[in-house]
Amino acid sequence: MKYQSQKVAAYYFYCAMALFAAQVTFGLVLGYIYVAPNFLSELLPFNIARMIHTNALIVWLLLGFFGAAYYLIPEEAETELHSPKLAILQLVLLMVGASGAVVGYLFRVHEGREFLEQPLWVKLGIVVAALIFLYNITLTVLKGRKTAITNVLLLGLWGIALFFLFALYNPSNLTLDKMYWWYVVHIWVEGVWELVMAAILAFMMLKLTGVDREVVDKWLYSIVALALFTGLLGTGHHYYWIGTPGYWQWIGSIFSALEVAPFFAMVVFTFVMVWKGRREHPNKAALLWSLGCSTLAFFGAGVWGFMHTLAPINYYTHGTQVTAAHGHLAFYGAYVCLNLAIITYAMPHLKNRTPYNQVLNMAAFWLMSGGMAFMTFTLTFAGVVQTHLQRVNGEYFMDVQDQLALFFWMRFGSGVAVVLGVLIFLYAVLVPRKEVVTPGMKTETVPAE
C-alpha cells in the first residue's frame, strides 16, 4: 500500500463481504422455498426474501466498486485521497440506508418496483452518498496524474450516479415506467458497470502481469468503445413486449446480439496480458479470480444472453427459468468475481501482509464457480422444459412448476455449494494462517528414537 488514505477501502470491503454472505444466505432460503413453498411463508414471504436477496446483491457490488475506486485511484493518480473522512461518511450513509431499507421490507414498506423497491428517503440518501463519492474521487483525480484507467473508471462511476436518477421518477404510464426502469437496470449492468469492470480488470492486469501501460490502455479503450456501442442500444431487447414501437425488436435484436463482443474482448484481453507478462506474481488467487471474471462473464452475459435475446426466441422464453440462468451466471461472472478479485488482491496490501490462505481462496473460486455453473445448466434445462410445456403446449403455470421440482432440488444443491464457497472465501481472506510454507522447500523430518 503506497498511500495511507487507501486504508478506507478496507472498510468498504468488510461491509461488502458481510452483505455478500447475507445475500447468498437469502438466495439459499429462496432456493428452498421453490421446493418447499410453505417454508417461512408467514414470517418471510417469498417476495420479501427476494427483495432482500437482490438488493443485497446490488449494494454489496456497489460497495466493492467504491472500495476498489478508493484503493486504486490514489495509486493511479499518485496522490492521497481528497478526503478519507468523506469516504467514511459516505459508507455510513450507505449502510444506514441499506439497513433502513431491509427493515422497511420486513414490515412491507417498499415501492414495489423490482430492484428499485427502496423507499424515497433511502433513494435520496443514496443520491447524497453518490454525490459525496463523486466529489471525493473527482477532486482526487483532478489534482493528480490522469490515466486511461482513472478516466474510464470515472466515466463509469458518474454514469452509475446519473442513470440512478431515473429511479426517482415513477410515471403512471406503464410503458414509460418500464422504459425508465430499464434505463437504470440495463444501462447499469450492461453499460456503465462494464466500464467499471474494464477499468478494474485493467488495473489488475497492470499489477499482476507487469505488461506495459500503453498496451493495457489500447485494450481498455477498445473494450469501452464496444461496450458503449452495443450496450446502450442493446437496451432495446427489453422493449419487445412493453408497448413500444415494433422497430425496437430489430434494434434490440441486432445490438444486443453484438453485446457478446465486449465480453469476448475482455476474455482475450486478460489471457493475452497474462501470456505477454509471463510474470510470476505471488498472488495467484487474485489472478485466478481475474481470469475467471472475464471468462464466466463472457459465458453468462455473452453466450447465455445471446441464447434468448433475439425477439422471435424471446417471445417464448421471456420470464422463464432461462432468464434466471442468464442472470445468475452473468452477475456472478462479471461483477461478483470482479469484486472478489480486487478484494483478494488489495486486502494483503491493506493489512500489510503477504497473500495467505491462497489454496483455500482458490478452492473457494472453484467451488463457487462450479456451483454457479451447475445452477446455470440446471435452470437452463428447467427453462427449456418450462418454455415447451407452458408457452408451446399451453399448460398452466403452476402445473408446470410442479413438473420442474427435480430441477429446483438440483438448483438448491448447487446453492449449498455456492454458500460453502463463500464461507471458505471469507475465511481465506479474513483469517491469517498460522504458518507459512514456502513453495519448493523440502521439510525435514526427525527420525523417531
Side-chain angles (χ1 to χ4, degrees):
M1 187 177 65
K2 296 181 180 179
Y3 300 94
Q4 288 301 309
S5 57
Q6 288 178 284
K7 288 182 179 179
V8 300
Y11 301 113
Y12 280 82
F13 291 150
Y14 288 137
C15 292
M17 286 186 281
L19 287 176
F20 182 32
Q23 182 239 328
V24 295
T25 301
F26 274 92
L28 193 62
V29 170
L30 290 169
Y32 188 70
I33 291 175
Y34 263 91
V35 296
N38 291 325
F39 180 65
L40 296 179
S41 58
E42 297 292 332
L43 181 64
L44 187 68
F46 180 87
N47 67 311
I48 301 300
R50 186 174 184 272
M51 281 184 200
I52 298 174
H53 175 61
T54 55
N55 279 250
L57 170 68
I58 294 168
V59 174
W60 93 258
L61 290 179
L62 288 174
L63 288 174
F65 293 166
F66 296 151
Y70 283 132
Y71 178 81
L72 71 86
I73 281 180
E75 286 199 19
E76 287 292 296
E78 296 183 339
T79 183
E80 296 284 359
L81 281 175
H82 174 70
S83 174
K85 291 181 180 178
L86 280 179
I88 298 299
L89 174 62
Q90 174 204 343
L91 179 60
V92 171
L93 286 175
L94 287 171
M95 294 306 295
V96 169
S99 303
V102 170
V103 172
Y105 298 159
L106 293 175
F107 287 94
R108 315 300 188 262
V109 179
H110 55 82
E111 290 194 355
R113 301 173 81 193
E114 188 180 11
F115 302 121
L116 304 178
E117 297 96 346
Q118 308 86 16
L120 181 60
W121 71 269
V122 174
K123 290 178 179 174
L124 293 176
I126 292 171
V127 171
V128 172
L131 290 174
I132 293 173
F133 172 70
L134 294 173
Y135 171 81
N136 206 358
I137 62 165
T138 302
L139 287 185
T140 304
V141 171
L142 289 177
K143 73 177 181 180
R145 181 181 64 161
K146 285 76 176 173
T147 68
I149 291 174
T150 57
N151 291 341
V152 171
L153 186 60
L154 274 179
L155 181 62
L157 293 169
W158 272 96
I160 289 173
L162 291 174
F163 282 102
F164 182 74
L165 295 177
F166 287 100
L168 301 177
Y169 179 52
N170 189 357
S172 57
N173 182 287
L174 186 59
T175 299
L176 282 177
D177 166 45
K178 283 299 178 184
M179 286 192 71
Y180 291 144
W181 185 82
W182 284 117
Y183 285 176
V184 182
V185 177
H186 171 97
I187 295 180
W188 264 22
V189 300
E190 296 175 65
V192 292
W193 280 27
E194 286 185 29
L195 306 189
V196 175
M197 175 187 175
I200 295 175
L201 273 181
F203 176 80
M204 296 287 288
M205 290 299 103
L206 271 179
K207 297 299 182 181
L208 294 171
T209 68
V211 173
D212 290 342
R213 182 178 292 273
E214 292 180 2
V215 178
V216 172
D217 289 352
K218 290 175 183 177
W219 276 95
L220 179 58
Y221 281 128
S222 300
I223 291 169
V224 167
L226 280 172
L228 292 177
F229 174 72
T230 60
L232 294 178
L233 284 176
T235 312
H237 68 233
H238 301 295
Y239 294 169
Y240 294 157
W241 326 117
I242 66 170
T244 52
Y247 56 73
W248 278 110
Q249 293 186 17
W250 284 98
I251 295 173
S253 295
I254 293 170
F255 282 91
S256 61
L258 294 173
E259 285 187 67
V260 178
F263 286 104
F264 180 71
M266 286 188 198
V267 176
V268 177
F269 165 60
T270 52
F271 279 86
V272 167
M273 292 304 100
V274 172
W275 175 76
K276 280 182 174 289
R278 299 186 182 277
R279 176 184 175 188
E280 288 296 319
H281 195 280
N283 199 331
K284 301 290 191 301
L287 185 60
L288 178 63
W289 281 108
S290 300
L291 294 174
C293 168
S294 61
T295 304
L296 293 171
F298 167 67
F299 282 103
V303 176
W304 256 257
F306 178 78
M307 283 170 53
H308 66 133
T309 196
L310 302 178
I313 299 173
N314 188 266
Y315 179 80
Y316 292 97
T317 61
H318 184 80
T320 65
Q321 295 298 324
V322 174
T323 305
H326 159 60
H328 278 81
L329 189 58
F331 264 101
Y332 174 76
Y335 304 120
V336 172
C337 287
L338 178 71
N339 272 349
L340 301 188
I342 189 66
I343 289 172
T344 298
Y345 174 78
M347 285 303 288
H349 297 285
L350 294 170
K351 302 298 290 183
N352 193 27
R353 62 182 179 232
T354 57
Y356 64 93
N357 284 336
Q358 288 202 77
V359 173
L360 276 181
N361 196 316
M362 291 187 280
F365 168 82
W366 290 113
L367 186 57
M368 265 191 269
S369 301
M372 191 56 66
F374 187 78
M375 184 185 299
T376 301
F377 286 120
T378 299
L379 291 174
T380 302
F381 295 141
V384 171
V385 173
Q386 180 186 10
T387 299
H388 180 75
L389 295 178
Q390 186 178 322
R391 304 286 168 81
V392 179
N393 289 358
E395 297 184 29
Y396 290 113
F397 174 82
M398 292 308 298
D399 291 339
V400 173
Q401 294 299 298
D402 290 339
Q403 299 177 65
L404 300 179
L406 175 62
F407 295 109
F408 293 148
W409 274 112
M410 290 192 290
R411 192 260 295 274
F412 176 72
S414 62
V416 172
V418 171
V419 172
L420 288 175
V422 172
L423 295 177
I424 293 173
F425 175 85
L426 295 178
Y427 180 87
V429 170
L430 299 174
V431 181
R433 62 187 178 190
K434 294 181 180 179
E435 59 178 330
V436 178
V437 179
T438 305
M441 295 293 290
K442 184 177 180 180
T443 58
E444 296 184 359
T445 57
V446 180
E449 295 182 356

